[in-house]
Amino acid sequence: MEEYKLTKLDFQRDMKYHVFLNFRGEDVRKTLVDHLFEDMSAAGLNVFLDSEKLEKGEEIRPSLERAIKSSAIRIPIFSKGYADSTWCLREAAAMLRTPGLIIPLFYHVEPAHVRHPEKDSSPYKQSFLIHYGHSDRYPREEIDEWKDALVQISKLSGWSTDTTQGYKARLVKMVVNDLIKTFDRVQFEVAKYPVGMDNVKNALIQKLNLNSLKEVIKVGIWGIGGIGKTTVAKAVYNQIYTDFDAASFLFNVGTAATESRGLTNLQKKILKDLSKYGGEVRHISVEISFERKICAAHFG
């Protein structure tokens, strides 16, 4: 199978989600998907999970259709029981009906199994026999559309457990790193702030004096917990980060610094963000080397 090739993708302002995850919960929700969601969210990606983001009072199917349309990348995770779920199959068909990038992830199944679900070797054969047998519930034309969606999506380049010899952690890391590079830099999801918060945000941006090229600006946001300091910081970051060649946002620095290797881990994140380095920084000598390169690039 051809591996996914990185191409830069602009995240349009009118899009709501960076990634839409399509998967059979019984197979992967508490294992692969849980890790993917946590790592993607930590990287600043806004990820749609049907169980997490459906707004109360809405009909489920229209909500999912809207989420798919407003997602830059759709990732169907093909597991062995994927075709058992008519929900998954409907989402796969909906992905093909709307413009957007689809990157399949083959989780312990071969692309050929997905491409030829009617063959004996495919774990999906029995599932489709059952679906076709329920003509009173599912019109044959709809089931044909589901099958065609699997055929078309399985032809696309994507990720596979074969690439990482079955190691889940490596697979998660590869997927997240690829997505980060694809989007380059992403905005943080910011909850709707209360009246007056925009004024605070704009005042803070003024204090940053972004037109100055001669000084490093440090601005402190002070206040009791829960009043929205982090929200303001995220909003400021979202508005100005595109004006810089590189940007980094660190969360909960005080808490993170007290953990084992906390300062080192914070340093690694800054180095990765600013140098666009996608690999693992393992040794202090490498970190120092990167620091010198960054300083030379920005201040030399």
Side-chain angles (χ1 to χ4, degrees), residues 223-260:
I224 61 174
I227 64 171
K229 298 187 297 296
T230 301
T231 299
V232 173
K234 286 181 179 179
V236 169
Y237 178 91
N238 285 345
Q239 185 159 327
I240 69 174
Y241 78 101
T242 55
D243 295 333
F244 297 86
D245 294 330
S248 183
F249 192 107
L250 301 182
F251 291 92
N252 301 321
V253 173
T255 302
T258 62
E259 298 174 353
S260 175

PDB file of all heavy atoms in Angstrom, residues 223-260:
ATOM      1  N   GLY A 223      -4.533  37.157  37.502  1.00  0.00           N
ATOM      2  CA  GLY A 223      -5.910  37.110  37.997  1.00  0.00           C
ATOM      3  C   GLY A 223      -6.177  35.795  38.694  1.00  0.00           C
ATOM      4  O   GLY A 223      -5.397  34.837  38.599  1.00  0.00           O
ATOM      5  N   ILE A 224      -7.279  35.714  39.407  1.00  0.00           N
ATOM      6  CA  ILE A 224      -7.630  34.488  40.119  1.00  0.00           C
ATOM      7  C   ILE A 224      -7.991  33.399  39.124  1.00  0.00           C
ATOM      8  O   ILE A 224      -8.304  33.667  37.958  1.00  0.00           O
ATOM      9  CB  ILE A 224      -8.814  34.728  41.093  1.00  0.00           C
ATOM     10  CG1 ILE A 224     -10.056  35.169  40.310  1.00  0.00           C
ATOM     11  CG2 ILE A 224      -8.443  35.750  42.147  1.00  0.00           C
ATOM     12  CD1 ILE A 224     -11.299  35.282  41.169  1.00  0.00           C
ATOM     13  N   GLY A 225      -7.962  32.164  39.579  1.00  0.00           N
ATOM     14  CA  GLY A 225      -8.264  31.036  38.709  1.00  0.00           C
ATOM     15  C   GLY A 225      -9.693  31.055  38.198  1.00  0.00           C
ATOM     16  O   GLY A 225     -10.613  31.437  38.919  1.00  0.00           O
ATOM     17  N   GLY A 226      -9.858  30.651  36.930  1.00  0.00           N
ATOM     18  CA  GLY A 226     -11.189  30.488  36.373  1.00  0.00           C
ATOM     19  C   GLY A 226     -11.784  31.697  35.697  1.00  0.00           C
ATOM     20  O   GLY A 226     -12.933  31.653  35.242  1.00  0.00           O
ATOM     21  N   ILE A 227     -11.022  32.808  35.604  1.00  0.00           N
ATOM     22  CA  ILE A 227     -11.615  34.012  35.003  1.00  0.00           C
ATOM     23  C   ILE A 227     -11.353  34.107  33.499  1.00  0.00           C
ATOM     24  O   ILE A 227     -11.826  35.032  32.843  1.00  0.00           O
ATOM     25  CB  ILE A 227     -11.116  35.292  35.692  1.00  0.00           C
ATOM     26  CG1 ILE A 227      -9.596  35.454  35.489  1.00  0.00           C
ATOM     27  CG2 ILE A 227     -11.472  35.286  37.167  1.00  0.00           C
ATOM     28  CD1 ILE A 227      -9.093  36.809  35.949  1.00  0.00           C
ATOM     29  N   GLY A 228     -10.572  33.164  32.969  1.00  0.00           N
ATOM     30  CA  GLY A 228     -10.376  33.154  31.517  1.00  0.00           C
ATOM     31  C   GLY A 228      -9.013  33.589  31.029  1.00  0.00           C
ATOM     32  O   GLY A 228      -8.867  33.995  29.879  1.00  0.00           O
ATOM     33  N   LYS A 229      -7.978  33.481  31.873  1.00  0.00           N
ATOM     34  CA  LYS A 229      -6.633  33.905  31.452  1.00  0.00           C
ATOM     35  C   LYS A 229      -6.136  33.066  30.276  1.00  0.00           C
ATOM     36  O   LYS A 229      -5.632  33.607  29.293  1.00  0.00           O
ATOM     37  CB  LYS A 229      -5.663  33.801  32.637  1.00  0.00           C
ATOM     38  CG  LYS A 229      -6.016  34.691  33.825  1.00  0.00           C
ATOM     39  CD  LYS A 229      -4.939  34.663  34.883  1.00  0.00           C
ATOM     40  CE  LYS A 229      -4.749  33.277  35.499  1.00  0.00           C
ATOM     41  NZ  LYS A 229      -5.956  32.807  36.228  1.00  0.00           N
ATOM     42  N   THR A 230      -6.287  31.757  30.378  1.00  0.00           N
ATOM     43  CA  THR A 230      -5.838  30.874  29.303  1.00  0.00           C
ATOM     44  C   THR A 230      -6.661  31.093  28.041  1.00  0.00           C
ATOM     45  O   THR A 230      -6.138  31.059  26.921  1.00  0.00           O
ATOM     46  CB  THR A 230      -5.933  29.395  29.736  1.00  0.00           C
ATOM     47  OG1 THR A 230      -5.132  29.190  30.896  1.00  0.00           O
ATOM     48  CG2 THR A 230      -5.443  28.470  28.628  1.00  0.00           C
ATOM     49  N   THR A 231      -7.946  31.350  28.200  1.00  0.00           N
ATOM     50  CA  THR A 231      -8.807  31.614  27.051  1.00  0.00           C
ATOM     51  C   THR A 231      -8.335  32.839  26.288  1.00  0.00           C
ATOM     52  O   THR A 231      -8.266  32.848  25.053  1.00  0.00           O
ATOM     53  CB  THR A 231     -10.270  31.807  27.503  1.00  0.00           C
ATOM     54  OG1 THR A 231     -10.725  30.613  28.141  1.00  0.00           O
ATOM     55  CG2 THR A 231     -11.172  32.119  26.316  1.00  0.00           C
ATOM     56  N   VAL A 232      -7.987  33.895  27.018  1.00  0.00           N
ATOM     57  CA  VAL A 232      -7.478  35.111  26.384  1.00  0.00           C
ATOM     58  C   VAL A 232      -6.167  34.815  25.659  1.00  0.00           C
ATOM     59  O   VAL A 232      -5.956  35.244  24.523  1.00  0.00           O
ATOM     60  CB  VAL A 232      -7.265  36.232  27.420  1.00  0.00           C
ATOM     61  CG1 VAL A 232      -6.569  37.423  26.772  1.00  0.00           C
ATOM     62  CG2 VAL A 232      -8.594  36.656  28.006  1.00  0.00           C
ATOM     63  N   ALA A 233      -5.280  34.075  26.319  1.00  0.00           N
ATOM     64  CA  ALA A 233      -3.982  33.754  25.713  1.00  0.00           C
ATOM     65  C   ALA A 233      -4.169  32.961  24.415  1.00  0.00           C
ATOM     66  O   ALA A 233      -3.493  33.216  23.411  1.00  0.00           O
ATOM     67  CB  ALA A 233      -3.130  32.964  26.702  1.00  0.00           C
ATOM     68  N   LYS A 234      -5.102  31.998  24.425  1.00  0.00           N
ATOM     69  CA  LYS A 234      -5.374  31.231  23.207  1.00  0.00           C
ATOM     70  C   LYS A 234      -5.912  32.124  22.097  1.00  0.00           C
ATOM     71  O   LYS A 234      -5.527  31.991  20.929  1.00  0.00           O
ATOM     72  CB  LYS A 234      -6.398  30.128  23.496  1.00  0.00           C
ATOM     73  CG  LYS A 234      -5.871  28.936  24.280  1.00  0.00           C
ATOM     74  CD  LYS A 234      -7.004  27.926  24.461  1.00  0.00           C
ATOM     75  CE  LYS A 234      -6.561  26.698  25.220  1.00  0.00           C
ATOM     76  NZ  LYS A 234      -7.678  25.742  25.406  1.00  0.00           N
ATOM     77  N   ALA A 235      -6.819  33.014  22.466  1.00  0.00           N
ATOM     78  CA  ALA A 235      -7.422  33.909  21.473  1.00  0.00           C
ATOM     79  C   ALA A 235      -6.366  34.818  20.851  1.00  0.00           C
ATOM     80  O   ALA A 235      -6.374  35.067  19.639  1.00  0.00           O
ATOM     81  CB  ALA A 235      -8.538  34.727  22.113  1.00  0.00           C
ATOM     82  N   VAL A 236      -5.451  35.319  21.680  1.00  0.00           N
ATOM     83  CA  VAL A 236      -4.372  36.160  21.173  1.00  0.00           C
ATOM     84  C   VAL A 236      -3.478  35.352  20.232  1.00  0.00           C
ATOM     85  O   VAL A 236      -3.123  35.801  19.133  1.00  0.00           O
ATOM     86  CB  VAL A 236      -3.540  36.735  22.341  1.00  0.00           C
ATOM     87  CG1 VAL A 236      -2.259  37.401  21.814  1.00  0.00           C
ATOM     88  CG2 VAL A 236      -4.367  37.735  23.136  1.00  0.00           C
ATOM     89  N   TYR A 237      -3.117  34.155  20.660  1.00  0.00           N
ATOM     90  CA  TYR A 237      -2.277  33.277  19.835  1.00  0.00           C
ATOM     91  C   TYR A 237      -2.927  33.033  18.475  1.00  0.00           C
ATOM     92  O   TYR A 237      -2.282  33.144  17.432  1.00  0.00           O
ATOM     93  CB  TYR A 237      -2.042  31.953  20.565  1.00  0.00           C
ATOM     94  CG  TYR A 237      -1.229  30.951  19.781  1.00  0.00           C
ATOM     95  CD1 TYR A 237       0.149  30.897  19.896  1.00  0.00           C
ATOM     96  CD2 TYR A 237      -1.846  30.039  18.923  1.00  0.00           C
ATOM     97  CE1 TYR A 237       0.903  29.969  19.178  1.00  0.00           C
ATOM     98  CE2 TYR A 237      -1.113  29.111  18.203  1.00  0.00           C
ATOM     99  CZ  TYR A 237       0.265  29.087  18.333  1.00  0.00           C
ATOM    100  OH  TYR A 237       0.995  28.173  17.616  1.00  0.00           O
ATOM    101  N   ASN A 238      -4.216  32.685  18.486  1.00  0.00           N
ATOM    102  CA  ASN A 238      -4.922  32.392  17.236  1.00  0.00           C
ATOM    103  C   ASN A 238      -4.893  33.568  16.268  1.00  0.00           C
ATOM    104  O   ASN A 238      -4.838  33.383  15.050  1.00  0.00           O
ATOM    105  CB  ASN A 238      -6.382  32.020  17.522  1.00  0.00           C
ATOM    106  CG  ASN A 238      -6.526  30.621  18.102  1.00  0.00           C
ATOM    107  OD1 ASN A 238      -5.590  29.826  18.047  1.00  0.00           O
ATOM    108  ND2 ASN A 238      -7.684  30.326  18.650  1.00  0.00           N
ATOM    109  N   GLN A 239      -4.921  34.778  16.815  1.00  0.00           N
ATOM    110  CA  GLN A 239      -4.999  35.957  15.957  1.00  0.00           C
ATOM    111  C   GLN A 239      -3.645  36.361  15.382  1.00  0.00           C
ATOM    112  O   GLN A 239      -3.582  36.917  14.290  1.00  0.00           O
ATOM    113  CB  GLN A 239      -5.607  37.133  16.721  1.00  0.00           C
ATOM    114  CG  GLN A 239      -5.837  38.367  15.847  1.00  0.00           C
ATOM    115  CD  GLN A 239      -6.868  39.307  16.435  1.00  0.00           C
ATOM    116  OE1 GLN A 239      -7.822  38.878  17.082  1.00  0.00           O
ATOM    117  NE2 GLN A 239      -6.681  40.597  16.219  1.00  0.00           N
ATOM    118  N   ILE A 240      -2.558  36.057  16.102  1.00  0.00           N
ATOM    119  CA  ILE A 240      -1.266  36.611  15.664  1.00  0.00           C
ATOM    120  C   ILE A 240      -0.257  35.571  15.175  1.00  0.00           C
ATOM    121  O   ILE A 240       0.759  35.945  14.597  1.00  0.00           O
ATOM    122  CB  ILE A 240      -0.612  37.425  16.798  1.00  0.00           C
ATOM    123  CG1 ILE A 240      -0.167  36.505  17.942  1.00  0.00           C
ATOM    124  CG2 ILE A 240      -1.546  38.525  17.300  1.00  0.00           C
ATOM    125  CD1 ILE A 240       0.620  37.219  19.034  1.00  0.00           C
ATOM    126  N   TYR A 241      -0.515  34.274  15.386  1.00  0.00           N
ATOM    127  CA  TYR A 241       0.541  33.285  15.118  1.00  0.00           C
ATOM    128  C   TYR A 241       0.942  33.222  13.647  1.00  0.00           C
ATOM    129  O   TYR A 241       2.086  32.886  13.314  1.00  0.00           O
ATOM    130  CB  TYR A 241       0.140  31.899  15.615  1.00  0.00           C
ATOM    131  CG  TYR A 241      -0.827  31.140  14.736  1.00  0.00           C
ATOM    132  CD1 TYR A 241      -0.397  30.128  13.883  1.00  0.00           C
ATOM    133  CD2 TYR A 241      -2.189  31.434  14.757  1.00  0.00           C
ATOM    134  CE1 TYR A 241      -1.286  29.432  13.087  1.00  0.00           C
ATOM    135  CE2 TYR A 241      -3.081  30.743  13.969  1.00  0.00           C
ATOM    136  CZ  TYR A 241      -2.638  29.746  13.123  1.00  0.00           C
ATOM    137  OH  TYR A 241      -3.525  29.064  12.343  1.00  0.00           O
ATOM    138  N   THR A 242       0.019  33.562  12.742  1.00  0.00           N
ATOM    139  CA  THR A 242       0.353  33.505  11.320  1.00  0.00           C
ATOM    140  C   THR A 242       1.305  34.615  10.896  1.00  0.00           C
ATOM    141  O   THR A 242       1.847  34.586   9.789  1.00  0.00           O
ATOM    142  CB  THR A 242      -0.928  33.582  10.463  1.00  0.00           C
ATOM    143  OG1 THR A 242      -1.665  34.752  10.819  1.00  0.00           O
ATOM    144  CG2 THR A 242      -1.794  32.356  10.669  1.00  0.00           C
ATOM    145  N   ASP A 243       1.544  35.603  11.780  1.00  0.00           N
ATOM    146  CA  ASP A 243       2.463  36.685  11.454  1.00  0.00           C
ATOM    147  C   ASP A 243       3.923  36.300  11.692  1.00  0.00           C
ATOM    148  O   ASP A 243       4.825  37.085  11.398  1.00  0.00           O
ATOM    149  CB  ASP A 243       2.151  37.934  12.302  1.00  0.00           C
ATOM    150  CG  ASP A 243       0.781  38.516  11.974  1.00  0.00           C
ATOM    151  OD1 ASP A 243       0.318  38.328  10.835  1.00  0.00           O
ATOM    152  OD2 ASP A 243       0.169  39.136  12.869  1.00  0.00           O
ATOM    153  N   PHE A 244       4.150  35.094  12.230  1.00  0.00           N
ATOM    154  CA  PHE A 244       5.499  34.660  12.577  1.00  0.00           C
ATOM    155  C   PHE A 244       5.893  33.424  11.769  1.00  0.00           C
ATOM    156  O   PHE A 244       5.050  32.648  11.326  1.00  0.00           O
ATOM    157  CB  PHE A 244       5.580  34.336  14.073  1.00  0.00           C
ATOM    158  CG  PHE A 244       5.332  35.528  14.959  1.00  0.00           C
ATOM    159  CD1 PHE A 244       4.040  35.895  15.318  1.00  0.00           C
ATOM    160  CD2 PHE A 244       6.391  36.290  15.429  1.00  0.00           C
ATOM    161  CE1 PHE A 244       3.798  36.994  16.125  1.00  0.00           C
ATOM    162  CE2 PHE A 244       6.163  37.395  16.241  1.00  0.00           C
ATOM    163  CZ  PHE A 244       4.869  37.748  16.581  1.00  0.00           C
ATOM    164  N   ASP A 245       7.215  33.263  11.600  1.00  0.00           N
ATOM    165  CA  ASP A 245       7.728  32.088  10.903  1.00  0.00           C
ATOM    166  C   ASP A 245       7.504  30.819  11.720  1.00  0.00           C
ATOM    167  O   ASP A 245       7.359  29.727  11.171  1.00  0.00           O
ATOM    168  CB  ASP A 245       9.228  32.235  10.618  1.00  0.00           C
ATOM    169  CG  ASP A 245       9.506  33.358   9.622  1.00  0.00           C
ATOM    170  OD1 ASP A 245       8.622  33.596   8.771  1.00  0.00           O
ATOM    171  OD2 ASP A 245      10.574  33.967   9.696  1.00  0.00           O
ATOM    172  N   ALA A 246       7.480  30.940  13.024  1.00  0.00           N
ATOM    173  CA  ALA A 246       7.264  29.791  13.901  1.00  0.00           C
ATOM    174  C   ALA A 246       6.615  30.280  15.184  1.00  0.00           C
ATOM    175  O   ALA A 246       6.773  31.439  15.568  1.00  0.00           O
ATOM    176  CB  ALA A 246       8.587  29.082  14.212  1.00  0.00           C
ATOM    177  N   ALA A 247       5.869  29.408  15.829  1.00  0.00           N
ATOM    178  CA  ALA A 247       5.176  29.781  17.057  1.00  0.00           C
ATOM    179  C   ALA A 247       5.036  28.563  17.956  1.00  0.00           C
ATOM    180  O   ALA A 247       4.981  27.433  17.482  1.00  0.00           O
ATOM    181  CB  ALA A 247       3.800  30.361  16.734  1.00  0.00           C
ATOM    182  N   SER A 248       4.972  28.801  19.255  1.00  0.00           N
ATOM    183  CA  SER A 248       4.808  27.706  20.216  1.00  0.00           C
ATOM    184  C   SER A 248       3.912  28.181  21.349  1.00  0.00           C
ATOM    185  O   SER A 248       4.003  29.335  21.778  1.00  0.00           O
ATOM    186  CB  SER A 248       6.166  27.258  20.770  1.00  0.00           C
ATOM    187  OG  SER A 248       6.009  26.148  21.645  1.00  0.00           O
ATOM    188  N   PHE A 249       3.042  27.303  21.801  1.00  0.00           N
ATOM    189  CA  PHE A 249       2.130  27.620  22.907  1.00  0.00           C
ATOM    190  C   PHE A 249       2.265  26.519  23.942  1.00  0.00           C
ATOM    191  O   PHE A 249       2.041  25.343  23.645  1.00  0.00           O
ATOM    192  CB  PHE A 249       0.687  27.684  22.394  1.00  0.00           C
ATOM    193  CG  PHE A 249      -0.290  28.288  23.374  1.00  0.00           C
ATOM    194  CD1 PHE A 249      -0.816  29.560  23.168  1.00  0.00           C
ATOM    195  CD2 PHE A 249      -0.694  27.594  24.506  1.00  0.00           C
ATOM    196  CE1 PHE A 249      -1.721  30.125  24.056  1.00  0.00           C
ATOM    197  CE2 PHE A 249      -1.586  28.141  25.409  1.00  0.00           C
ATOM    198  CZ  PHE A 249      -2.105  29.414  25.190  1.00  0.00           C
ATOM    199  N   LEU A 250       2.635  26.889  25.167  1.00  0.00           N
ATOM    200  CA  LEU A 250       2.818  25.910  26.231  1.00  0.00           C
ATOM    201  C   LEU A 250       1.697  26.039  27.253  1.00  0.00           C
ATOM    202  O   LEU A 250       1.393  27.138  27.715  1.00  0.00           O
ATOM    203  CB  LEU A 250       4.160  26.112  26.935  1.00  0.00           C
ATOM    204  CG  LEU A 250       5.417  26.008  26.066  1.00  0.00           C
ATOM    205  CD1 LEU A 250       6.660  26.191  26.922  1.00  0.00           C
ATOM    206  CD2 LEU A 250       5.473  24.669  25.350  1.00  0.00           C
ATOM    207  N   PHE A 251       1.099  24.896  27.616  1.00  0.00           N
ATOM    208  CA  PHE A 251       0.029  24.881  28.597  1.00  0.00           C
ATOM    209  C   PHE A 251       0.575  24.487  29.979  1.00  0.00           C
ATOM    210  O   PHE A 251       1.509  23.694  30.088  1.00  0.00           O
ATOM    211  CB  PHE A 251      -1.037  23.840  28.212  1.00  0.00           C
ATOM    212  CG  PHE A 251      -1.830  24.206  26.993  1.00  0.00           C
ATOM    213  CD1 PHE A 251      -1.437  23.778  25.737  1.00  0.00           C
ATOM    214  CD2 PHE A 251      -2.983  24.970  27.095  1.00  0.00           C
ATOM    215  CE1 PHE A 251      -2.167  24.101  24.612  1.00  0.00           C
ATOM    216  CE2 PHE A 251      -3.720  25.299  25.977  1.00  0.00           C
ATOM    217  CZ  PHE A 251      -3.313  24.861  24.735  1.00  0.00           C
ATOM    218  N   ASN A 252      -0.024  25.031  31.032  1.00  0.00           N
ATOM    219  CA  ASN A 252       0.238  24.590  32.408  1.00  0.00           C
ATOM    220  C   ASN A 252       1.728  24.438  32.701  1.00  0.00           C
ATOM    221  O   ASN A 252       2.184  23.394  33.181  1.00  0.00           O
ATOM    222  CB  ASN A 252      -0.473  23.256  32.678  1.00  0.00           C
ATOM    223  CG  ASN A 252      -1.964  23.367  32.469  1.00  0.00           C
ATOM    224  OD1 ASN A 252      -2.577  24.374  32.815  1.00  0.00           O
ATOM    225  ND2 ASN A 252      -2.552  22.317  31.905  1.00  0.00           N
ATOM    226  N   VAL A 253       2.482  25.479  32.395  1.00  0.00           N
ATOM    227  CA  VAL A 253       3.936  25.403  32.548  1.00  0.00           C
ATOM    228  C   VAL A 253       4.331  25.135  33.994  1.00  0.00           C
ATOM    229  O   VAL A 253       5.226  24.316  34.273  1.00  0.00           O
ATOM    230  CB  VAL A 253       4.597  26.703  32.040  1.00  0.00           C
ATOM    231  CG1 VAL A 253       6.091  26.703  32.352  1.00  0.00           C
ATOM    232  CG2 VAL A 253       4.360  26.859  30.544  1.00  0.00           C
ATOM    233  N   GLY A 254       3.677  25.794  34.943  1.00  0.00           N
ATOM    234  CA  GLY A 254       4.032  25.615  36.343  1.00  0.00           C
ATOM    235  C   GLY A 254       3.887  24.175  36.797  1.00  0.00           C
ATOM    236  O   GLY A 254       4.782  23.610  37.444  1.00  0.00           O
ATOM    237  N   THR A 255       2.766  23.557  36.446  1.00  0.00           N
ATOM    238  CA  THR A 255       2.533  22.160  36.821  1.00  0.00           C
ATOM    239  C   THR A 255       3.471  21.233  36.075  1.00  0.00           C
ATOM    240  O   THR A 255       4.064  20.320  36.656  1.00  0.00           O
ATOM    241  CB  THR A 255       1.070  21.762  36.519  1.00  0.00           C
ATOM    242  OG1 THR A 255       0.195  22.643  37.229  1.00  0.00           O
ATOM    243  CG2 THR A 255       0.804  20.326  36.928  1.00  0.00           C
ATOM    244  N   ALA A 256       3.617  21.451  34.766  1.00  0.00           N
ATOM    245  CA  ALA A 256       4.457  20.575  33.951  1.00  0.00           C
ATOM    246  C   ALA A 256       5.915  20.618  34.402  1.00  0.00           C
ATOM    247  O   ALA A 256       6.619  19.604  34.377  1.00  0.00           O
ATOM    248  CB  ALA A 256       4.355  20.978  32.486  1.00  0.00           C
ATOM    249  N   ALA A 257       6.376  21.779  34.855  1.00  0.00           N
ATOM    250  CA  ALA A 257       7.779  21.923  35.253  1.00  0.00           C
ATOM    251  C   ALA A 257       8.114  21.125  36.502  1.00  0.00           C
ATOM    252  O   ALA A 257       9.271  20.761  36.726  1.00  0.00           O
ATOM    253  CB  ALA A 257       8.100  23.400  35.474  1.00  0.00           C
ATOM    254  N   THR A 258       7.119  20.832  37.329  1.00  0.00           N
ATOM    255  CA  THR A 258       7.380  20.096  38.567  1.00  0.00           C
ATOM    256  C   THR A 258       7.391  18.591  38.357  1.00  0.00           C
ATOM    257  O   THR A 258       7.779  17.839  39.251  1.00  0.00           O
ATOM    258  CB  THR A 258       6.300  20.434  39.619  1.00  0.00           C
ATOM    259  OG1 THR A 258       5.011  20.035  39.133  1.00  0.00           O
ATOM    260  CG2 THR A 258       6.293  21.914  39.919  1.00  0.00           C
ATOM    261  N   GLU A 259       6.954  18.128  37.191  1.00  0.00           N
ATOM    262  CA  GLU A 259       6.934  16.699  36.919  1.00  0.00           C
ATOM    263  C   GLU A 259       8.326  16.202  36.558  1.00  0.00           C
ATOM    264  O   GLU A 259       9.232  16.975  36.253  1.00  0.00           O
ATOM    265  CB  GLU A 259       5.959  16.407  35.769  1.00  0.00           C
ATOM    266  CG  GLU A 259       4.514  16.782  36.089  1.00  0.00           C
ATOM    267  CD  GLU A 259       3.604  16.629  34.889  1.00  0.00           C
ATOM    268  OE1 GLU A 259       4.133  16.362  33.784  1.00  0.00           O
ATOM    269  OE2 GLU A 259       2.385  16.774  35.059  1.00  0.00           O
ATOM    270  N   SER A 260       8.484  14.876  36.569  1.00  0.00           N
ATOM    271  CA  SER A 260       9.767  14.283  36.211  1.00  0.00           C
ATOM    272  C   SER A 260      10.137  14.685  34.782  1.00  0.00           C
ATOM    273  O   SER A 260       9.340  14.513  33.859  1.00  0.00           O
ATOM    274  CB  SER A 260       9.673  12.750  36.308  1.00  0.00           C
ATOM    275  OG  SER A 260      10.861  12.140  35.869  1.00  0.00           O
TER     276      SER A 260
END
